[in-house]
């Protein structure tokens, strides 16, 4: 079914990873000294891979991360095989992202094609953005950073910049069927039908069933799925939720592009915005203080607006490279508007799947109080539905935010 | 720049092709008897390849065609290199088309990857459709045949039918950068700017210059080019004009899919329809008898309408295979409407490039009388522009035909 595993492939363990690192020390630009004592811990909390942190015993700042692909979905086990070759895709995508946006891409020391692993920078002064947002931490530079990352990585890998041959060869190099299939099923299909893998909390079932019976929603979601499957616009990250972003006060890094392929730009931008609105929905209930709630939610909507404006500003540098006779101003405006509409629709898909589908997010599913969790989930669903169905009326990012902030939770049910 | 030529590659000549065929006789399903006298002639009238007809001296019905790719553009010479590997793409595309629609695809005996040539059925009882249309010959089964061909080859190679992995592997297999680049330049770009390769007749220059200064036209053409470059919807033929169709009273064959790649369905359907409208424009002047003119033009517009309805009818069989929960009726209708809009826009692009750009068509450029030729060319340009700019208002194929038939030539200029 998949490419066979290389003969030397073996999953690492905490007990073997240090020997592995020692054997490759000359590829690490001198991070570790020959023979010095190292320590390692396995920290993978994702669904698919092993992740090890390795550091020098006498200086934890000299450290690397190893991410190794398993030939199956870790969350489920060997019954769900998954090609370890995705590590190659991830390494190649990191390479492209680093080329265009090194300040927001972890540094890769090397990719080991025999072991399907990547040795890279340990972002040990950063936390997963989702966790920060749950704690109500504001990241003042995030909008600027992610807007730049999106414009550079999407714009520079599109037909607007790449020559005709490179673009098409890159499409072929990033063909990524199995990982795309996960998205096709879990994001675009299963939430809208009764399936065993959906994992919503029982309390919001009435709204889930209403969504699953909603013909207009099915039609628009089918269009978004088609676009995901056919629109080879740019090399997209493919999984750019707030769990794939590492942040602190001053820095932002995007990690984990194993889902990368040539797809619609709006899928990445929508992933960021959709996840900010998931946080927004969760902060409907997260603090007992209404002013604090409103303040954090304003931070989130301001971030959505700001990151789009940064994206537009940085994308202008791309437009400045193209021939205005082939791509006149009116075309450029139409292009950006279509990216905005895709962003809304894709963001909507990313939100709703997190409430209804297999893979939830801690922002919402982690709320312990059933009432509060249901209010947040219901609000997230309604924002998703509105962003999807009203996307083509939007002209600006402010319109998008207005559509989202006009939504209310349906829960508690009145009938 | 391209894949290197295989060491045994050599362009065939009339004097060497018979020996070549003899050496491969066992791969021809007994068409020729061992050692019998054969005759051969080179008949390539296209821009890119060598084409030989070979037949048994005592029975011309036992015959094959050999199409061999040259490593450069034949029309221009070795200064314009072109990968001979396009013969592989053509052989693979013929294979796919034969799988889904054998009745309208020439039979391939074999593809020789060392010589970049295809040995196939000689359609010796058929003529190039363009030549038939110029003579005013009606093909009563053409609409039915081409509608079936389009629905089968496009629908069956799309995500609607192919499983997720096969589709993506097919996209990679049919990456075809150099041939796509020809279309990107000659169809979508050069006609709308001043370039040396444009080859319009001087008499229509005022209208050409007006088109080249038309901002709305530039904007819409840029959208069509983007769609051509990014919309991996189905395996398209990529060059489906009436010169790629061999017909007679009862049969229709589509040949020459060397431009094949994963692109928008509307590009193929638009190529057919655009070329029928080029014929329509030429028949504005082709006969001195107004009734005869009107009659043939009615045949052409009826053909456009009929072939679309056949396409829709046959495509319904595709829709019947998909899950209506994922792809509800409203989505299916929207999908077909978008294919119609693409058809109009792509057909428009195919028409206008034939008037302004490098590669003209005999239907129009072959009209000897300058006045008449200018009227036909002017009408073709106006039909193209209208189909492009009014496409999104169309709801049916009848709307499309109405837009086209409402057009008049601008020539002779009144100011």
């Amino acid at each position: 079914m998949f490419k066979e595993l290389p003969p030397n492939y073996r999953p690492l363990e905490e007990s073997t990873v240090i020997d592995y690192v020692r054997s490759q020390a000359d590829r690490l630009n001198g991070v570790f000294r020959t023979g010095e004592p190292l320590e390692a811990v396995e920290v993978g909390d994702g669904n698919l891979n092993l992740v090890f942190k390795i550091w020098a015993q006498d200086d934890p700042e000299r450290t690397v991360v190893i991410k190794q692909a398993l030939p199956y979905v870790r969350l489920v086990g060997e019954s769900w095989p998954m090609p370890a070759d995705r590590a190659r895709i991830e390494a190649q995508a990191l390479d492209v992202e680093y080329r265009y946006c090194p300040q927001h891409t972890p540094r890769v020391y090397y990719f080991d094609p025999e072991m399907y692993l990547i040795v890279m920078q340990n972002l040990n002064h950063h936390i997963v953005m989702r966790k920060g947002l749950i704690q109500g931490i504001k990241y003042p530079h995030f909008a600027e950073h992610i807007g730049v990352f999106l414009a550079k990585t999407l714009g520079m890998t599109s037909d607007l910049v790449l020559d005709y041959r490179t673009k098409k060869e890159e499409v072929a190099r990033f063909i990524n069927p199995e990982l795309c299939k996960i998205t096709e099923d879990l994001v675009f299909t299963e939430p809208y039908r009764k399936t065993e893998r959906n994992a919503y909390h029982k309390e919001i079932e009435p709204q889930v069933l209403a969504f699953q019976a909603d013909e207009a929603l099915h039609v628009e979601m089918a269009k978004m799925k088609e676009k995901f499957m056919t629109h080879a616009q740019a090399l997209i990250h493919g999984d750019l939720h707030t769990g794939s972003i590492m942040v602190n006060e001053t820095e932002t890094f995007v990690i984990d592009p194993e889902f990368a392929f040539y797809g619609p730009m709006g899928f990445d931008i929508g992933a960021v915005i959709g996840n900010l609105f998931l946080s927004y929905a969760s902060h409907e209930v997260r603090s007992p203080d209404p002013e604090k709630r409103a303040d954090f939610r304003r931070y989130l909507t301001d971030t959505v607006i700001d990151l789009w404006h940064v994206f537009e500003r940085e994308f202008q540098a791309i437009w400045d490279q193209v021939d205005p006779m082939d791509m006149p101003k009116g075309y450029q405006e139409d292009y950006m508007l279509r990216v905005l509409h895709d962003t809304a629709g894709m963001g909507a898909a990313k939100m709703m799947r997190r409430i209804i589908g297999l893979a939830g997010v801690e922002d919402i599913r982690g709320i312990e109080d059933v009432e509060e969790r249901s209010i947040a989930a219901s609000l997230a669903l309604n924002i998703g539905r509105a962003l999807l169905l009203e996307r083509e009326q939007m002209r600006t990012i402010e319109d998008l935010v207005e559509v989202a902030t006009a939504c209310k939770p349906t829960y508690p049910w009145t009938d």
Side-chain angles (χ1 to χ4, degrees), chain A:
Chain A
M1 175 164 155
F2 306 133
K3 224 165 141 176
E4 280 195 28
L5 285 170
N8 293 330
Y9 175 87
R10 61 187 199 285
L12 290 172
E13 296 169 21
E14 285 183 3
S15 63
T16 57
V17 70
I18 290 176
D19 278 350
Y20 171 80
V21 168
R22 283 190 204 287
S23 74
Q24 308 288 327
D26 55 337
R27 304 169 81 179
L28 300 178
N29 280 59
V31 172
F32 300 130
R33 297 186 202 111
T34 312
E36 76 172 328
L38 302 179
E39 296 194 7
V41 61
E42 208 281 312
V43 296
D45 61 351
N47 302 330
L48 294 173
N49 305 290
L50 298 173
V51 181
F52 300 90
K53 295 188 172 188
I54 303 100
W55 64 93
Q57 209 175 60
D58 68 357
D59 179 5
E61 291 303 307
R62 288 191 289 107
T63 175
V64 299
V65 154
I66 291 184
K67 180 172 176 183
Q68 184 176 35
L70 291 166
Y72 51 83
V73 177
R74 186 179 187 183
L75 180 74
V76 176
E78 301 195 13
S79 64
W80 188 353
M82 191 54 54
D85 183 53
R86 66 186 186 272
R88 172 191 59 82
I89 296 265
E90 177 164 350
Q92 288 174 346
L94 284 167
D95 181 53
V96 172
E97 291 168 353
Y98 193 84
R99 187 180 319 149
Y100 296 123
C101 199
Q103 68 274 38
H104 303 304
T105 305
R107 175 177 170 191
V108 171
Y109 293 100
Y110 69 90
F111 165 60
D112 182 338
E114 293 283 300
M115 292 286 277
Y116 283 128
L117 64 76
I118 301 167
V119 186
M120 66 183 122
Q121 180 180 4
N122 182 0
L123 299 165
N124 54 337
H125 297 284
H126 307 76
I127 67 166
V128 172
M129 187 179 185
R130 187 182 305 289
K131 294 189 191 296
L133 293 179
I134 289 171
Q135 294 165 37
I137 301 173
K138 296 178 184 175
Y139 296 99
H141 302 296
F142 173 71
E144 175 72 23
H145 292 169
I146 202 74
V148 168
F149 179 85
L150 290 164
K152 299 274 188 207
T153 60
L154 300 175
M156 297 301 285
T157 60
S158 75
D159 283 300
L160 303 180
V161 176
L162 291 186
D163 77 275
Y164 72 98
R165 193 186 304 135
T166 305
K167 154 73 191 296
K168 291 165 180 82
E169 289 168 355
E170 287 292 272
V171 168
R173 192 162 75 111
F174 285 100
I175 292 284
N176 197 357
E178 307 305 323
L179 283 281
C180 284
K181 174 70 168 162
I182 294 177
T183 303
E184 292 161 20
D185 289 346
L186 292 186
V187 175
F188 294 107
T189 306
E190 297 189 6
Y192 306 99
R193 56 197 312 165
K194 202 171 157 50
T195 69
E196 278 183 16
R197 291 203 290 191
N198 285 337
Y200 52 83
H201 286 289
K202 198 70 187 163
E203 298 78 24
I204 58 151
E205 183 152 64
Q207 196 169 352
V208 170
L209 295 180
F211 273 40
Q212 290 180 343
D214 184 334
E215 173 90 0
L217 199 151
H218 277 256
V219 169
E220 296 310 312
M221 194 53 69
K223 291 188 201 170
M224 300 322 295
K225 183 178 179 181
E226 178 194 332
K227 189 162 288 225
F228 180 81
M229 294 175 79
T230 62
H231 193 48
Q233 189 177 29
L235 180 63
I236 69 172
H237 177 284
D239 195 29
L240 222 178
H241 57 86
T242 46
S244 296
I245 300 170
M246 303 286 288
V247 280
N248 60 29
E249 270 286 301
T250 56
E251 289 186 314
T252 305
F253 285 91
V254 174
I255 60 171
D256 290 352
E258 66 200 314
F259 283 78
F261 75 110
Y262 263 78
M265 295 180 182
F267 192 75
D268 275 1
I269 314 171
V272 174
I273 286 179
N275 276 271
L276 292 173
F277 280 121
L278 284 168
S279 178
Y280 172 96
S282 78
H283 282 280
E284 170 93 9
V285 296
R286 212 166 258 290
S287 162
D289 175 356
E291 248 182 68
K292 215 174 147 190
R293 287 205 301 265
D295 176 68
F296 198 72
R297 292 167 73 181
R298 197 169 319 108
Y299 159 71
L300 290 168
T301 54
D302 285 351
T303 299
V304 168
I305 289 171
D306 291 348
L307 79 85
W308 177 267
H309 288 307
V310 172
F311 173 76
E312 274 188 324
R313 183 195 76 208
E314 293 294 314
F315 213 90
Q316 189 53 50
I318 312 286
W319 288 120
D320 292 345
Q321 295 184 41
V322 307
D323 183 333
M325 191 187 287
D326 292 341
M327 299 184 188
K329 203 72 199 157
Y331 170 72
Q332 298 181 18
E333 286 163 8
D334 179 79
Y335 190 103
M336 298 306 281
L337 188 58
R338 286 183 284 121
V339 173
L340 180 68
H341 295 166
D342 289 355
T343 295
M346 295 298 186
K350 298 284 271 180
M351 291 184 76
M352 295 188 281
R353 68 76 67 106
R354 292 297 197 175
I355 306 299
I356 305 174
L358 174 64
V361 283
E362 197 190 335
D363 314 56
I364 307 270
R365 289 199 185 156
I367 299 170
E368 283 182 21
D369 181 274
V370 172
E371 286 298 301
E372 291 185 354
R373 190 177 64 214
S374 302
I375 289 168
S378 175
L379 176 59
L381 285 178
N382 284 337
I383 292 173
R385 184 174 186 279
L387 290 180
L388 179 66
L389 297 188
E390 297 172 39
R391 69 188 187 285
E392 294 195 351
Q393 284 83 58
M394 298 170 189
R395 309 294 303 172
T396 64
I397 191 66
E398 288 78 8
D399 291 348
L400 185 154
V401 167
E402 204 175 303
V403 165
T405 54
C407 293
K408 303 276 172 244
T410 311
Y411 188 92
W413 328 119
T414 49
D415 58 347

